[in-house]
Coordinates of all heavy atoms in Angstrom, one line a residue:
M1 N -8.9 3.1 19.7 CA -7.8 3.8 19.0 C -8.4 5.1 18.4 O -9.4 5.1 17.8 CB -7.3 2.9 17.9 CG -6.2 3.5 17.0 SD -5.6 2.5 15.7 CE -5.6 0.9 16.3
N2 N -7.7 6.2 18.7 CA -8.2 7.5 18.1 C -7.9 7.6 16.6 O -7.1 6.9 16.0 CB -7.6 8.7 18.9 CG -6.1 8.9 18.7 OD1 -5.7 8.8 17.5 ND2 -5.4 9.2 19.7
N3 N -8.7 8.5 16.0 CA -8.6 8.6 14.5 C -7.3 9.1 14.0 O -6.8 8.6 12.9 CB -9.7 9.6 14.0 CG -11.1 9.1 14.1 OD1 -11.2 7.8 14.1 ND2 -12.1 9.9 14.1
D4 N -6.6 9.9 14.8 CA -5.2 10.4 14.3 C -4.2 9.3 14.3 O -3.5 9.1 13.3 CB -4.8 11.5 15.3 CG -3.5 12.2 14.8 OD1 -3.4 12.5 13.6 OD2 -2.5 12.3 15.6
L5 N -4.3 8.4 15.3 CA -3.4 7.3 15.4 C -3.7 6.3 14.3 O -2.8 5.8 13.5 CB -3.5 6.6 16.7 CG -2.6 5.3 16.9 CD1 -1.1 5.6 16.6 CD2 -2.8 4.7 18.3
R6 N -5.0 6.0 14.0 CA -5.4 5.1 13.0 C -5.0 5.6 11.6 O -4.5 4.8 10.7 CB -6.9 4.9 13.0 CG -7.4 3.8 12.0 CD -8.8 3.3 12.4 NE -9.1 2.1 11.6 CZ -8.8 0.9 11.9 NH1 -8.1 0.6 13.0 NH2 -9.1 -0.1 11.1
E7 N -5.1 6.9 11.4 CA -4.6 7.5 10.1 C -3.1 7.3 9.9 O -2.7 7.0 8.8 CB -5.0 9.0 10.0 CG -4.8 9.6 8.6 CD -5.7 8.9 7.5 OE1 -6.8 8.4 7.8 OE2 -5.1 8.9 6.4
K8 N -2.4 7.5 11.0 CA -0.9 7.3 10.9 C -0.6 5.9 10.5 O 0.3 5.5 9.8 CB -0.3 7.7 12.1 CG -0.1 9.2 12.3 CD 0.6 9.6 13.5 CE 0.7 11.1 13.5 NZ 0.6 11.8 14.8
I9 N -1.3 4.9 11.2 CA -1.1 3.5 10.9 C -1.5 3.2 9.4 O -0.7 2.4 8.7 CB -2.0 2.6 11.9 CG1 -1.4 2.7 13.3 CG2 -2.0 1.1 11.4 CD1 -2.3 2.1 14.3
K10 N -2.5 3.8 8.9 CA -2.9 3.6 7.5 C -1.7 4.1 6.6 O -1.3 3.4 5.6 CB -4.2 4.3 7.2 CG -5.4 3.6 7.5 CD -6.7 4.4 7.2 CE -6.8 4.8 5.8 NZ -8.1 5.5 5.5
E11 N -1.2 5.3 6.9 CA -0.2 5.9 6.1 C 1.1 5.0 6.1 O 1.7 4.7 5.1 CB 0.2 7.3 6.6 CG -0.9 8.3 6.4 CD -0.6 9.7 6.9 OE1 0.3 9.8 7.8 OE2 -1.3 10.6 6.6
L12 N 1.5 4.6 7.3 CA 2.7 3.8 7.5 C 2.5 2.4 6.8 O 3.5 1.8 6.2 CB 3.1 3.7 8.9 CG 3.5 5.0 9.5 CD1 3.7 4.9 11.1 CD2 4.8 5.5 8.9
T13 N 1.3 1.8 6.9 CA 1.0 0.5 6.2 C 1.2 0.7 4.7 O 1.8 -0.1 4.0 CB -0.4 0.0 6.6 OG1 -0.4 -0.1 8.0 CG2 -0.7 -1.3 5.9
L14 N 0.6 1.8 4.1 CA 0.8 2.0 2.7 C 2.3 2.2 2.3 O 2.7 1.6 1.3 CB 0.0 3.3 2.3 CG 0.0 3.6 0.8 CD1 -0.6 2.4 0.0 CD2 -0.7 4.9 0.5
I15 N 3.0 2.9 3.1 CA 4.5 3.0 2.9 C 5.1 1.6 2.9 O 5.9 1.3 2.0 CB 5.1 3.9 3.9 CG1 4.7 5.4 3.7 CG2 6.6 3.8 3.9 CD1 5.1 6.4 4.8
L16 N 4.8 0.8 3.9 CA 5.4 -0.5 4.0 C 5.0 -1.4 2.8 O 5.8 -2.1 2.2 CB 5.0 -1.2 5.3 CG 5.7 -0.7 6.5 CD1 5.1 -1.2 7.8 CD2 7.2 -1.0 6.4
L17 N 3.7 -1.3 2.4 CA 3.3 -2.0 1.2 C 4.1 -1.6 0.0 O 4.5 -2.5 -0.8 CB 1.8 -1.8 0.9 CG 0.9 -2.5 1.9 CD1 -0.6 -2.0 1.7 CD2 0.8 -4.0 1.7
Y18 N 4.3 -0.4 -0.2 CA 5.0 0.2 -1.3 C 6.5 -0.2 -1.3 O 7.0 -0.7 -2.3 CB 4.9 1.7 -1.4 CG 5.7 2.3 -2.5 CD1 5.4 2.2 -3.8 CD2 6.9 3.0 -2.2 CE1 6.1 2.7 -4.8 CE2 7.6 3.6 -3.2 CZ 7.3 3.5 -4.5 OH 8.0 4.0 -5.5
L19 N 7.1 -0.1 -0.1 CA 8.6 -0.4 0.0 C 8.8 -1.9 -0.2 O 10.0 -2.2 -0.6 CB 9.1 0.1 1.3 CG 9.2 1.6 1.5 CD1 9.6 1.9 2.9 CD2 10.1 2.2 0.5
T20 N 7.9 -2.7 0.1 CA 8.1 -4.2 0.0 C 7.5 -4.8 -1.3 O 7.4 -6.0 -1.4 CB 7.6 -4.9 1.3 OG1 6.2 -4.7 1.4 CG2 8.3 -4.5 2.5
S21 N 7.1 -3.9 -2.1 CA 6.4 -4.4 -3.4 C 7.4 -4.7 -4.4 O 8.5 -4.4 -4.4 CB 5.4 -3.3 -3.9 OG 6.1 -2.2 -4.3
W22 N 6.8 -5.5 -5.4 CA 7.6 -5.8 -6.6 C 6.7 -5.6 -7.8 O 5.5 -5.4 -7.7 CB 8.0 -7.3 -6.5 CG 6.8 -8.3 -6.5 CD1 6.2 -8.8 -7.6 CD2 6.1 -8.7 -5.4 NE1 5.2 -9.6 -7.2 CE2 5.1 -9.6 -5.9 CE3 6.2 -8.5 -4.0 CZ2 4.2 -10.2 -5.1 CZ3 5.3 -9.2 -3.2 CH2 4.3 -10.0 -3.7
E23 N 7.4 -5.5 -9.0 CA 6.6 -5.2 -10.2 C 6.3 -6.5 -10.9 O 7.1 -7.4 -11.0 CB 7.5 -4.3 -11.1 CG 6.8 -3.8 -12.3 CD 7.6 -2.8 -13.1 OE1 8.4 -3.2 -13.9 OE2 7.5 -1.6 -12.8
E24 N 5.0 -6.6 -11.4 CA 4.6 -7.7 -12.2 C 4.0 -7.1 -13.4 O 3.7 -6.0 -13.5 CB 3.5 -8.5 -11.4 CG 4.0 -9.3 -10.3 CD 3.0 -10.3 -9.8 OE1 1.9 -10.4 -10.3 OE2 3.4 -11.0 -8.8
E25 N 3.8 -8.0 -14.4 CA 3.3 -7.6 -15.7 C 2.2 -8.6 -16.1 O 2.4 -9.8 -16.1 CB 4.4 -7.5 -16.8 CG 3.9 -6.9 -18.0 CD 5.0 -6.7 -19.0 OE1 6.2 -6.6 -18.6 OE2 4.7 -6.6 -20.2
L26 N 1.1 -8.1 -16.5 CA 0.0 -9.0 -17.0 C -0.6 -8.3 -18.2 O -1.1 -7.1 -18.2 CB -1.1 -9.2 -15.9 CG -2.3 -10.0 -16.3 CD1 -1.9 -11.5 -16.6 CD2 -3.3 -10.0 -15.2
L27 N -0.6 -9.0 -19.4 CA -1.1 -8.4 -20.6 C -0.5 -7.1 -21.0 O -1.2 -6.1 -21.2 CB -2.7 -8.3 -20.6 CG -3.4 -9.6 -20.3 CD1 -4.9 -9.3 -20.1 CD2 -3.2 -10.6 -21.4
D28 N 0.8 -7.0 -20.8 CA 1.5 -5.8 -21.1 C 1.2 -4.6 -20.1 O 1.5 -3.4 -20.5 CB 1.4 -5.3 -22.5 CG 2.0 -6.3 -23.5 OD1 3.0 -7.0 -23.2 OD2 1.5 -6.4 -24.7
I29 N 0.6 -4.9 -19.0 CA 0.3 -3.8 -18.0 C 1.2 -4.2 -16.8 O 1.1 -5.3 -16.2 CB -1.2 -3.8 -17.7 CG1 -2.0 -3.5 -18.9 CG2 -1.5 -2.8 -16.5 CD1 -3.5 -3.7 -18.6
K30 N 2.0 -3.2 -16.4 CA 2.9 -3.3 -15.3 C 2.2 -2.8 -14.0 O 1.5 -1.8 -14.1 CB 4.2 -2.7 -15.5 CG 5.0 -3.3 -16.6 CD 6.4 -2.6 -16.7 CE 7.2 -3.3 -17.8 NZ 8.4 -2.7 -18.0
Y31 N 2.3 -3.5 -12.9 CA 1.7 -3.0 -11.7 C 2.5 -3.5 -10.5 O 3.4 -4.4 -10.7 CB 0.3 -3.4 -11.5 CG 0.0 -4.9 -11.6 CD1 -0.1 -5.6 -10.4 CD2 0.0 -5.6 -12.8 CE1 -0.3 -7.0 -10.4 CE2 -0.2 -7.0 -12.8 CZ -0.3 -7.7 -11.6 OH -0.5 -9.0 -11.6
R32 N 2.3 -2.9 -9.3 CA 3.1 -3.3 -8.2 C 2.2 -4.2 -7.3 O 1.1 -3.9 -7.1 CB 3.6 -2.1 -7.4 CG 4.5 -1.2 -8.3 CD 5.5 -0.4 -7.6 NE 6.5 -1.2 -6.9 CZ 7.6 -1.7 -7.5 NH1 7.8 -1.6 -8.8 NH2 8.5 -2.4 -6.7
R33 N 2.9 -5.2 -6.7 CA 2.2 -6.1 -5.7 C 3.0 -6.2 -4.4 O 4.2 -6.0 -4.4 CB 2.0 -7.5 -6.3 CG 1.1 -7.6 -7.5 CD 0.6 -9.0 -7.8 NE -0.3 -9.5 -6.9 CZ -1.6 -9.2 -6.8 NH1 -2.1 -8.3 -7.6 NH2 -2.4 -9.7 -6.0
S34 N 2.3 -6.5 -3.4 CA 3.0 -6.6 -2.1 C 2.2 -7.7 -1.3 O 1.0 -7.9 -1.5 CB 3.0 -5.3 -1.3 OG 3.7 -5.4 -0.1
W35 N 2.8 -8.3 -0.3 CA 2.1 -9.3 0.5 C 1.2 -8.6 1.5 O 1.4 -7.5 2.0 CB 3.2 -10.2 1.3 CG 4.0 -11.0 0.4 CD1 5.4 -10.8 0.2 CD2 3.6 -12.0 -0.5 NE1 5.8 -11.7 -0.7 CE2 4.8 -12.5 -1.2 CE3 2.4 -12.6 -0.8 CZ2 4.7 -13.5 -2.1 CZ3 2.4 -13.6 -1.7 CH2 3.5 -14.1 -2.3
K36 N 0.1 -9.3 1.8 CA -0.9 -8.8 2.8 C -0.6 -9.1 4.2 O -1.5 -9.6 4.9 CB -2.2 -9.5 2.5 CG -3.1 -9.1 1.5 CD -4.4 -9.9 1.7 CE -5.3 -9.8 0.5 NZ -6.5 -10.6 0.6
G37 N 0.5 -8.8 4.7 CA 0.9 -9.2 6.0 C 0.6 -8.1 7.1 O 1.3 -8.0 8.0
Y38 N -0.5 -7.4 6.9 CA -0.8 -6.3 7.7 C -2.3 -6.4 8.2 O -3.0 -7.2 7.7 CB -0.6 -4.9 7.0 CG 0.8 -4.8 6.5 CD1 1.1 -5.1 5.1 CD2 1.9 -4.5 7.3 CE1 2.4 -5.1 4.7 CE2 3.2 -4.4 6.8 CZ 3.4 -4.7 5.5 OH 4.7 -4.7 5.0
D39 N -2.6 -5.6 9.2 CA -4.0 -5.6 9.7 C -5.0 -5.5 8.6 O -5.0 -4.6 7.8 CB -4.1 -4.4 10.7 CG -5.5 -4.3 11.3 OD1 -6.4 -3.6 10.7 OD2 -5.6 -4.8 12.4
F40 N -5.9 -6.5 8.6 CA -6.9 -6.6 7.5 C -7.9 -5.4 7.6 O -8.4 -5.0 6.5 CB -7.7 -7.9 7.6 CG -6.9 -9.1 7.1 CD1 -6.7 -10.2 7.9 CD2 -6.3 -9.1 5.9 CE1 -5.9 -11.2 7.5 CE2 -5.5 -10.1 5.4 CZ -5.3 -11.2 6.3
G41 N -8.2 -4.9 8.7 CA -9.1 -3.7 8.8 C -8.4 -2.5 8.1 O -9.1 -1.8 7.4
I42 N -7.1 -2.3 8.3 CA -6.4 -1.2 7.7 C -6.4 -1.5 6.2 O -6.6 -0.6 5.3 CB -5.0 -1.1 8.2 CG1 -5.0 -0.7 9.7 CG2 -4.1 -0.1 7.4 CD1 -5.6 0.7 10.0
L43 N -6.1 -2.7 5.7 CA -6.1 -3.1 4.3 C -7.4 -2.8 3.7 O -7.5 -2.3 2.6 CB -5.7 -4.5 4.1 CG -4.2 -4.9 4.5 CD1 -3.9 -6.4 4.4 CD2 -3.2 -4.1 3.7
D44 N -8.5 -3.1 4.4 CA -9.8 -2.8 3.9 C -10.0 -1.3 3.7 O -10.6 -0.9 2.7 CB -10.9 -3.4 4.8 CG -11.0 -4.9 4.8 OD1 -10.5 -5.5 3.8 OD2 -11.6 -5.5 5.7
E45 N -9.6 -0.5 4.6 CA -9.7 0.9 4.5 C -8.9 1.4 3.3 O -9.3 2.3 2.6 CB -9.3 1.6 5.8 CG -10.3 1.4 6.9 CD -9.8 2.1 8.2 OE1 -9.2 3.1 8.1 OE2 -10.2 1.5 9.3
L46 N -7.7 0.9 3.1 CA -6.9 1.3 2.0 C -7.5 0.9 0.7 O -7.5 1.7 -0.3 CB -5.5 0.7 2.1 CG -4.6 1.3 3.2 CD1 -3.3 0.4 3.3 CD2 -4.2 2.7 3.0
A47 N -8.2 -0.2 0.6 CA -8.9 -0.7 -0.5 C -10.1 0.3 -0.8 O -10.4 0.7 -1.9 CB -9.4 -2.1 -0.4
D48 N -10.8 0.6 0.3 CA -12.0 1.5 0.2 C -11.5 2.9 -0.4 O -12.3 3.6 -1.0 CB -12.7 1.7 1.6 CG -13.4 0.5 2.0 OD1 -13.6 -0.4 1.2 OD2 -13.7 0.4 3.2
D49 N -10.3 3.3 -0.1 CA -9.8 4.6 -0.6 C -9.2 4.4 -2.0 O -8.6 5.3 -2.5 CB -8.7 5.1 0.4 CG -9.3 5.5 1.8 OD1 -10.5 5.7 1.9 OD2 -8.5 5.6 2.7
D50 N -9.3 3.2 -2.6 CA -8.8 2.9 -3.9 C -7.3 3.1 -4.0 O -6.7 3.4 -5.1 CB -9.5 3.7 -5.0 CG -10.9 3.4 -5.1 OD1 -11.3 2.2 -5.0 OD2 -11.7 4.3 -5.4
L51 N -6.6 2.8 -2.9 CA -5.1 2.9 -2.9 C -4.5 1.5 -3.1 O -3.3 1.4 -3.6 CB -4.6 3.5 -1.5 CG -5.1 4.9 -1.3 CD1 -4.7 5.3 0.1 CD2 -4.6 5.9 -2.4
I52 N -5.2 0.4 -2.8 CA -4.8 -0.9 -3.1 C -6.0 -1.7 -3.6 O -7.2 -1.3 -3.5 CB -4.2 -1.7 -1.9 CG1 -5.3 -1.8 -0.8 CG2 -3.0 -1.0 -1.4 CD1 -4.9 -2.7 0.4
S53 N -5.7 -2.8 -4.2 CA -6.8 -3.7 -4.7 C -6.4 -5.1 -4.4 O -5.2 -5.5 -4.6 CB -6.9 -3.5 -6.3 OG -7.8 -4.5 -6.8
S54 N -7.3 -5.9 -3.9 CA -7.0 -7.3 -3.6 C -8.3 -8.2 -3.7 O -9.4 -7.7 -3.4 CB -6.4 -7.4 -2.2 OG -7.3 -7.2 -1.2
G55 N -8.0 -9.4 -3.9 CA -9.1 -10.4 -3.8 C -9.1 -11.0 -2.4 O -8.0 -11.0 -1.7
H56 N -10.2 -11.5 -1.9 CA -10.2 -12.0 -0.5 C -9.4 -13.3 -0.4 O -8.9 -13.6 0.7 CB -11.7 -12.3 -0.1 CG -12.5 -11.0 0.0 ND1 -12.2 -10.1 1.0 CD2 -13.5 -10.5 -0.7 CE1 -13.1 -9.1 0.9 NE2 -13.8 -9.4 -0.1
R57 N -9.2 -14.0 -1.5 CA -8.5 -15.3 -1.4 C -7.0 -15.1 -1.7 O -6.2 -16.0 -1.5 CB -9.1 -16.3 -2.3 CG -10.5 -16.7 -1.9 CD -11.2 -17.6 -2.9 NE -10.9 -19.0 -2.7 CZ -11.5 -19.8 -1.9 NH1 -12.5 -19.3 -1.2 NH2 -11.2 -21.0 -1.8
S58 N -6.6 -13.9 -2.2 CA -5.2 -13.6 -2.6 C -4.4 -13.4 -1.4 O -4.8 -12.8 -0.4 CB -5.2 -12.5 -3.5 OG -3.9 -12.1 -3.8
K59 N -3.1 -13.8 -1.4 CA -2.2 -13.5 -0.4 C -1.4 -12.2 -0.6 O -0.6 -11.8 0.2 CB -1.2 -14.7 -0.2 CG -1.9 -15.9 0.3 CD -0.9 -17.0 0.4 CE -1.6 -18.3 0.9 NZ -0.6 -19.4 1.1
S60 N -1.7 -11.5 -1.7 CA -1.0 -10.3 -2.0 C -2.0 -9.2 -2.5 O -3.2 -9.6 -2.8 CB 0.0 -10.5 -3.1 OG -0.6 -10.9 -4.3
V61 N -1.6 -8.0 -2.5 CA -2.5 -6.9 -3.0 C -1.7 -6.2 -4.1 O -0.5 -6.2 -4.2 CB -2.7 -5.9 -1.9 CG1 -3.6 -6.5 -0.7 CG2 -1.5 -5.2 -1.3
A62 N -2.5 -5.6 -5.0 CA -2.0 -4.7 -6.0 C -2.1 -3.3 -5.5 O -3.1 -2.9 -4.9 CB -2.7 -4.8 -7.3
I63 N -1.0 -2.5 -5.7 CA -1.0 -1.1 -5.3 C -1.4 -0.3 -6.5 O -0.8 -0.4 -7.6 CB 0.3 -0.6 -4.8 CG1 0.8 -1.6 -3.6 CG2 0.3 0.8 -4.3 CD1 2.2 -1.3 -3.2
T64 N -2.5 0.5 -6.4 CA -3.0 1.3 -7.5 C -2.1 2.4 -7.8 O -1.2 2.8 -7.0 CB -4.4 1.8 -7.2 OG1 -4.3 2.8 -6.1 CG2 -5.4 0.7 -6.9
D65 N -2.3 3.1 -9.0 CA -1.4 4.3 -9.3 C -1.6 5.3 -8.2 O -0.7 6.0 -7.8 CB -1.8 4.8 -10.7 CG -1.4 3.9 -11.8 OD1 -0.5 3.1 -11.6 OD2 -1.9 4.0 -12.9
A66 N -2.9 5.5 -7.8 CA -3.1 6.5 -6.7 C -2.4 6.1 -5.4 O -1.9 7.0 -4.7 CB -4.6 6.6 -6.4
G67 N -2.3 4.8 -5.1 CA -1.6 4.3 -4.0 C -0.1 4.6 -4.1 O 0.5 5.0 -3.1
I68 N 0.4 4.3 -5.2 CA 1.9 4.6 -5.5 C 2.2 6.1 -5.3 O 3.1 6.4 -4.6 CB 2.3 4.1 -6.9 CG1 2.2 2.6 -6.9 CG2 3.7 4.6 -7.2 CD1 2.4 2.0 -8.3
N69 N 1.3 6.9 -5.9 CA 1.5 8.3 -5.8 C 1.4 8.8 -4.3 O 2.2 9.6 -3.8 CB 0.6 9.1 -6.7 CG 0.8 8.9 -8.1 OD1 2.0 8.6 -8.5 ND2 -0.2 9.0 -9.0
K70 N 0.4 8.3 -3.6 CA 0.2 8.7 -2.2 C 1.4 8.2 -1.3 O 1.9 8.9 -0.5 CB -1.0 8.1 -1.7 CG -1.3 8.2 -0.2 CD -2.2 9.3 0.1 CE -2.4 9.4 1.6 NZ -3.5 10.3 2.0
A71 N 1.9 6.9 -1.6 CA 3.1 6.4 -0.9 C 4.3 7.3 -1.1 O 5.0 7.6 -0.1 CB 3.4 5.0 -1.3
K72 N 4.5 7.8 -2.3 CA 5.6 8.7 -2.5 C 5.5 10.0 -1.8 O 6.5 10.5 -1.3 CB 5.8 8.9 -4.1 CG 6.3 7.7 -4.8 CD 6.3 7.9 -6.3 CE 6.8 6.7 -7.0 NZ 6.9 6.8 -8.5
V73 N 4.3 10.5 -1.7 CA 4.1 11.8 -0.9 C 4.4 11.5 0.6 O 5.0 12.3 1.3 CB 2.7 12.3 -1.1 CG1 2.3 13.3 -0.1 CG2 2.5 12.8 -2.6
L74 N 3.9 10.3 1.0 CA 4.1 10.0 2.4 C 5.5 9.7 2.8 O 6.0 10.1 3.9 CB 3.3 8.7 2.8 CG 1.7 9.0 2.8 CD1 1.0 7.7 2.9 CD2 1.3 10.0 3.8
L75 N 6.3 9.2 1.8 CA 7.7 9.0 2.1 C 8.4 10.4 2.3 O 9.2 10.5 3.3 CB 8.4 8.3 0.9 CG 8.1 6.9 0.7 CD1 8.6 6.4 -0.7 CD2 8.8 6.0 1.8
K76 N 8.0 11.4 1.6 CA 8.6 12.7 1.8 C 8.0 13.3 3.1 O 8.8 13.9 3.9 CB 8.1 13.6 0.7 CG 8.8 13.4 -0.6 CD 8.4 14.3 -1.7 CE 9.1 13.8 -3.0 NZ 8.5 14.6 -4.2
K77 N 6.8 13.1 3.5 CA 6.2 13.5 4.7 C 7.0 13.0 5.9 O 7.3 13.7 6.9 CB 4.7 13.1 4.8 CG 4.1 13.5 6.1 CD 2.6 13.0 6.2 CE 2.1 13.3 7.6 NZ 0.7 12.8 7.7
Y78 N 7.3 11.7 5.9 CA 8.0 11.1 7.0 C 9.5 11.1 6.8 O 10.2 10.5 7.6 CB 7.5 9.6 7.2 CG 6.1 9.6 7.7 CD1 5.0 9.4 6.9 CD2 5.8 9.7 9.1 CE1 3.7 9.3 7.4 CE2 4.6 9.7 9.6 CZ 3.5 9.5 8.8 OH 2.2 9.5 9.3
E79 N 9.9 11.8 5.8 CA 11.4 12.0 5.6 C 12.1 10.7 5.4 O 13.2 10.5 6.0 CB 12.0 12.9 6.6 CG 11.4 14.3 6.7 CD 12.0 15.2 7.7 OE1 13.0 14.7 8.4 OE2 11.5 16.3 7.9
I80 N 11.5 9.8 4.7 CA 12.1 8.5 4.4 C 12.7 8.5 3.0 O 12.0 8.8 2.0 CB 11.1 7.4 4.5 CG1 10.5 7.3 5.9 CG2 11.7 6.0 4.1 CD1 9.3 6.4 6.0
E81 N 14.0 8.3 2.9 CA 14.7 8.3 1.6 C 14.9 6.9 1.1 O 15.2 6.0 1.8 CB 16.1 8.9 1.8 CG 16.0 10.4 2.1 CD 17.4 11.1 2.1 OE1 18.3 10.6 1.4 OE2 17.6 12.1 2.8
V82 N 14.5 6.8 -0.2 CA 14.7 5.4 -0.8 C 15.6 5.6 -2.0 O 15.5 6.5 -2.8 CB 13.3 5.0 -1.4 CG1 13.4 3.6 -2.0 CG2 12.3 4.9 -0.2
N83 N 16.6 4.7 -2.1 CA 17.6 4.7 -3.1 C 17.1 3.8 -4.3 O 16.6 2.8 -4.2 CB 18.9 4.2 -2.6 CG 19.5 5.2 -1.6 OD1 19.2 6.4 -1.7 ND2 20.3 4.7 -0.7

């Protein structure tokens, strides 16, 4: 797979994680979580970029503030409107 295609897959995966996420609260800190139903290699790269955070045994990931901000930028890039 070429790098351009892999980068698009990463971007679209982050968008999907964001769009399917829900808000949780722990110790008065709110954060977004989403299920890990995507390619683990891509999820690892998103974690390496500090856009998501997850434990290996967890079935979900937390989306970092940087990940949320990047997802919002990508929604505009791909002209996806969210109500």
Side-chain angles (χ1 to χ4, degrees):
M1 175 181 325
N2 69 43
N3 287 339
D4 188 47
L5 178 58
R6 187 159 188 88
E7 189 60 31
K8 284 182 178 143
I9 292 170
K10 277 177 60 176
E11 290 177 347
L12 294 169
T13 300
L14 182 60
I15 288 172
L16 287 169
L17 286 167
Y18 176 71
L19 290 175
T20 61
S21 67
W22 64 91
E23 190 172 85
E24 287 193 3
E25 186 173 340
L26 179 66
L27 302 174
D28 294 328
I29 299 172
K30 292 182 181 180
Y31 61 98
R32 300 209 65 83
R33 292 197 74 76
S34 185
W35 296 114
K36 278 190 193 179
Y38 305 98
D39 179 273
F40 287 123
I42 296 292
L43 292 174
D44 288 342
E45 290 179 31
L46 291 170
D48 290 345
D49 294 341
D50 293 322
L51 300 173
I52 64 171
S53 174
S54 72
H56 292 292
R57 298 175 83 84
S58 176
K59 293 182 180 180
S60 64
V61 297
I63 305 171
T64 65
D65 289 340
I68 291 169
N69 293 333
K70 174 101 180 189
K72 289 177 180 179
V73 168
L74 292 171
L75 286 169
K76 288 179 185 174
K77 174 183 175 179
Y78 287 99
E79 299 179 5
I80 300 169
E81 292 185 30
V82 180
N83 294 331

